[in-house]
Amino acid sequence: MSVFRVSSRYAKSLIDLSIEKGVLEGVREDMNRLLAIGTSNKEFVSAIKSPVIKGDKKLKVLKALFPNGNELTLAFFDILSKKGRESLLLDIAKAFVNLYNEHRGIQVAEVTTTFAMDDKQREEFKKIVKQISNKQEVELIEKVNKDIIGGFVLKVGDRQLDESLNSKLNALRLQFSQNLYEKHI
């Protein structure tokens, strides 16, 4: 079975159980923290995915990182350790966050500009994303990239709106590289 399917099933089980127990927000915080640790610490990712390190040691590391973690999260770590699925933990956390956003009606969008946005621009982008996605709540991930020269790149789900000067220059460059006219002698 593919990693995506397995991690999605574990994430679905975790979100259903956390909703049933009334601890959805606490589990979400733990999953976001786990993803943040995975992003910032490559040694942690290597240790969790290592087939050489035993499951009980991985579980001790997880419990040490989450001393105040939700009881359900800690029990979930224990189950994953017993099943030997610790290597899927970050994939499960990503799938959980996606399911949480879907459950709460949150659309995540990524905006790349050449400068830091102010509140007015942020609200304009949120309004655009709401129109595209038909969801009432929007979470913007803002990135600054000087290479796009000007304009913006907006990614909403699997759609991308590229209004950057860099892409327009590349399109012009491509258009000029095609010789549509031949010289007649």
mmCIF file of all heavy atoms in Angstrom, residues 161-177:
data_model
loop_
_atom_site.group_PDB
_atom_site.id
_atom_site.type_symbol
_atom_site.label_atom_id
_atom_site.label_comp_id
_atom_site.label_asym_id
_atom_site.label_seq_id
_atom_site.Cartn_x
_atom_site.Cartn_y
_atom_site.Cartn_z
ATOM 1 N N LEU A 161 -1.950 31.112 -9.940
ATOM 2 C CA LEU A 161 -2.135 32.358 -10.671
ATOM 3 C C LEU A 161 -0.794 33.084 -10.637
ATOM 4 O O LEU A 161 -0.374 33.569 -9.597
ATOM 5 C CB LEU A 161 -3.235 33.199 -10.017
ATOM 6 C CG LEU A 161 -3.520 34.565 -10.620
ATOM 7 C CD1 LEU A 161 -3.963 34.428 -12.068
ATOM 8 C CD2 LEU A 161 -4.578 35.281 -9.808
ATOM 9 N N ASP A 162 -0.115 33.119 -11.775
ATOM 10 C CA ASP A 162 1.222 33.707 -11.841
ATOM 11 C C ASP A 162 1.145 35.040 -12.562
ATOM 12 O O ASP A 162 1.059 35.109 -13.776
ATOM 13 C CB ASP A 162 2.173 32.758 -12.572
ATOM 14 C CG ASP A 162 3.626 33.180 -12.457
ATOM 15 O OD1 ASP A 162 3.899 34.315 -12.019
ATOM 16 O OD2 ASP A 162 4.496 32.365 -12.795
ATOM 17 N N GLU A 163 1.165 36.113 -11.800
ATOM 18 C CA GLU A 163 1.128 37.466 -12.333
ATOM 19 C C GLU A 163 2.455 38.180 -12.064
ATOM 20 O O GLU A 163 2.485 39.389 -11.866
ATOM 21 C CB GLU A 163 -0.029 38.251 -11.709
ATOM 22 C CG GLU A 163 -1.393 37.762 -12.142
ATOM 23 C CD GLU A 163 -1.645 37.980 -13.628
ATOM 24 O OE1 GLU A 163 -1.229 39.027 -14.169
ATOM 25 O OE2 GLU A 163 -2.251 37.085 -14.242
ATOM 26 N N SER A 164 3.540 37.413 -12.089
ATOM 27 C CA SER A 164 4.850 38.005 -11.828
ATOM 28 C C SER A 164 5.457 38.530 -13.122
ATOM 29 O O SER A 164 5.174 38.022 -14.213
ATOM 30 C CB SER A 164 5.782 36.975 -11.199
ATOM 31 O OG SER A 164 6.046 35.928 -12.104
ATOM 32 N N LEU A 165 6.278 39.552 -12.986
ATOM 33 C CA LEU A 165 6.961 40.095 -14.160
ATOM 34 C C LEU A 165 7.941 39.087 -14.743
ATOM 35 O O LEU A 165 8.141 39.043 -15.960
ATOM 36 C CB LEU A 165 7.699 41.384 -13.793
ATOM 37 C CG LEU A 165 6.811 42.581 -13.499
ATOM 38 C CD1 LEU A 165 7.658 43.780 -13.084
ATOM 39 C CD2 LEU A 165 5.969 42.946 -14.708
ATOM 40 N N ASN A 166 8.520 38.270 -13.895
ATOM 41 C CA ASN A 166 9.462 37.263 -14.367
ATOM 42 C C ASN A 166 8.786 36.292 -15.341
ATOM 43 O O ASN A 166 9.339 35.975 -16.387
ATOM 44 C CB ASN A 166 10.041 36.505 -13.175
ATOM 45 C CG ASN A 166 11.203 35.631 -13.558
ATOM 46 O OD1 ASN A 166 11.973 35.973 -14.446
ATOM 47 N ND2 ASN A 166 11.333 34.502 -12.895
ATOM 48 N N SER A 167 7.587 35.832 -15.036
ATOM 49 C CA SER A 167 6.890 34.902 -15.939
ATOM 50 C C SER A 167 6.458 35.600 -17.226
ATOM 51 O O SER A 167 6.488 35.011 -18.301
ATOM 52 C CB SER A 167 5.685 34.276 -15.248
ATOM 53 O OG SER A 167 4.693 35.233 -15.011
ATOM 54 N N LYS A 168 6.091 36.872 -17.121
ATOM 55 C CA LYS A 168 5.705 37.616 -18.319
ATOM 56 C C LYS A 168 6.918 37.848 -19.229
ATOM 57 O O LYS A 168 6.809 37.758 -20.455
ATOM 58 C CB LYS A 168 5.046 38.933 -17.938
ATOM 59 C CG LYS A 168 3.699 38.722 -17.257
ATOM 60 C CD LYS A 168 3.011 40.021 -16.982
ATOM 61 C CE LYS A 168 1.806 39.857 -16.140
ATOM 62 N NZ LYS A 168 0.673 39.218 -16.701
ATOM 63 N N LEU A 169 8.067 38.133 -18.626
ATOM 64 C CA LEU A 169 9.293 38.280 -19.414
ATOM 65 C C LEU A 169 9.686 36.967 -20.078
ATOM 66 O O LEU A 169 10.125 36.952 -21.232
ATOM 67 C CB LEU A 169 10.438 38.798 -18.540
ATOM 68 C CG LEU A 169 10.354 40.262 -18.124
ATOM 69 C CD1 LEU A 169 11.449 40.573 -17.104
ATOM 70 C CD2 LEU A 169 10.478 41.177 -19.329
ATOM 71 N N ASN A 170 9.539 35.871 -19.367
ATOM 72 C CA ASN A 170 9.833 34.565 -19.955
ATOM 73 C C ASN A 170 8.896 34.249 -21.113
ATOM 74 O O ASN A 170 9.314 33.681 -22.127
ATOM 75 C CB ASN A 170 9.753 33.466 -18.890
ATOM 76 C CG ASN A 170 10.932 33.480 -17.963
ATOM 77 O OD1 ASN A 170 12.004 33.980 -18.297
ATOM 78 N ND2 ASN A 170 10.741 32.927 -16.774
ATOM 79 N N ALA A 171 7.625 34.610 -20.986
ATOM 80 C CA ALA A 171 6.667 34.389 -22.076
ATOM 81 C C ALA A 171 7.043 35.227 -23.297
ATOM 82 O O ALA A 171 6.971 34.753 -24.436
ATOM 83 C CB ALA A 171 5.256 34.726 -21.608
ATOM 84 N N LEU A 172 7.442 36.484 -23.064
ATOM 85 C CA LEU A 172 7.887 37.337 -24.181
ATOM 86 C C LEU A 172 9.148 36.778 -24.832
ATOM 87 O O LEU A 172 9.269 36.766 -26.058
ATOM 88 C CB LEU A 172 8.157 38.760 -23.692
ATOM 89 C CG LEU A 172 6.960 39.671 -23.586
ATOM 90 C CD1 LEU A 172 7.355 40.992 -22.949
ATOM 91 C CD2 LEU A 172 6.339 39.913 -24.953
ATOM 92 N N ARG A 173 10.079 36.315 -24.001
ATOM 93 C CA ARG A 173 11.323 35.737 -24.509
ATOM 94 C C ARG A 173 11.021 34.538 -25.397
ATOM 95 O O ARG A 173 11.591 34.371 -26.467
ATOM 96 C CB ARG A 173 12.216 35.337 -23.334
ATOM 97 C CG ARG A 173 13.617 34.962 -23.716
ATOM 98 C CD ARG A 173 14.498 34.701 -22.495
ATOM 99 N NE ARG A 173 14.688 35.912 -21.697
ATOM 100 C CZ ARG A 173 14.360 36.037 -20.421
ATOM 101 N NH1 ARG A 173 13.832 35.036 -19.756
ATOM 102 N NH2 ARG A 173 14.568 37.171 -19.787
ATOM 103 N N LEU A 174 10.083 33.689 -24.972
ATOM 104 C CA LEU A 174 9.691 32.524 -25.745
ATOM 105 C C LEU A 174 9.027 32.946 -27.055
ATOM 106 O O LEU A 174 9.294 32.384 -28.120
ATOM 107 C CB LEU A 174 8.737 31.643 -24.933
ATOM 108 C CG LEU A 174 8.233 30.385 -25.620
ATOM 109 C CD1 LEU A 174 9.381 29.419 -25.872
ATOM 110 C CD2 LEU A 174 7.164 29.724 -24.771
ATOM 111 N N GLN A 175 8.196 33.960 -26.981
ATOM 112 C CA GLN A 175 7.500 34.441 -28.170
ATOM 113 C C GLN A 175 8.488 35.013 -29.182
ATOM 114 O O GLN A 175 8.366 34.776 -30.379
ATOM 115 C CB GLN A 175 6.477 35.508 -27.769
ATOM 116 C CG GLN A 175 5.565 35.936 -28.890
ATOM 117 C CD GLN A 175 4.529 36.949 -28.404
ATOM 118 O OE1 GLN A 175 4.540 37.349 -27.236
ATOM 119 N NE2 GLN A 175 3.646 37.343 -29.280
ATOM 120 N N PHE A 176 9.482 35.765 -28.709
ATOM 121 C CA PHE A 176 10.466 36.349 -29.619
ATOM 122 C C PHE A 176 11.433 35.303 -30.166
ATOM 123 O O PHE A 176 12.016 35.490 -31.230
ATOM 124 C CB PHE A 176 11.264 37.461 -28.933
ATOM 125 C CG PHE A 176 10.488 38.735 -28.773
ATOM 126 C CD1 PHE A 176 10.511 39.423 -27.573
ATOM 127 C CD2 PHE A 176 9.731 39.254 -29.816
ATOM 128 C CE1 PHE A 176 9.798 40.598 -27.413
ATOM 129 C CE2 PHE A 176 9.012 40.423 -29.670
ATOM 130 C CZ PHE A 176 9.046 41.102 -28.465
ATOM 131 N N SER A 177 11.612 34.199 -29.446
ATOM 132 C CA SER A 177 12.534 33.171 -29.928
ATOM 133 C C SER A 177 11.947 32.395 -31.095
ATOM 134 O O SER A 177 12.673 31.769 -31.862
ATOM 135 C CB SER A 177 12.907 32.213 -28.797
ATOM 136 O OG SER A 177 11.799 31.420 -28.444
#
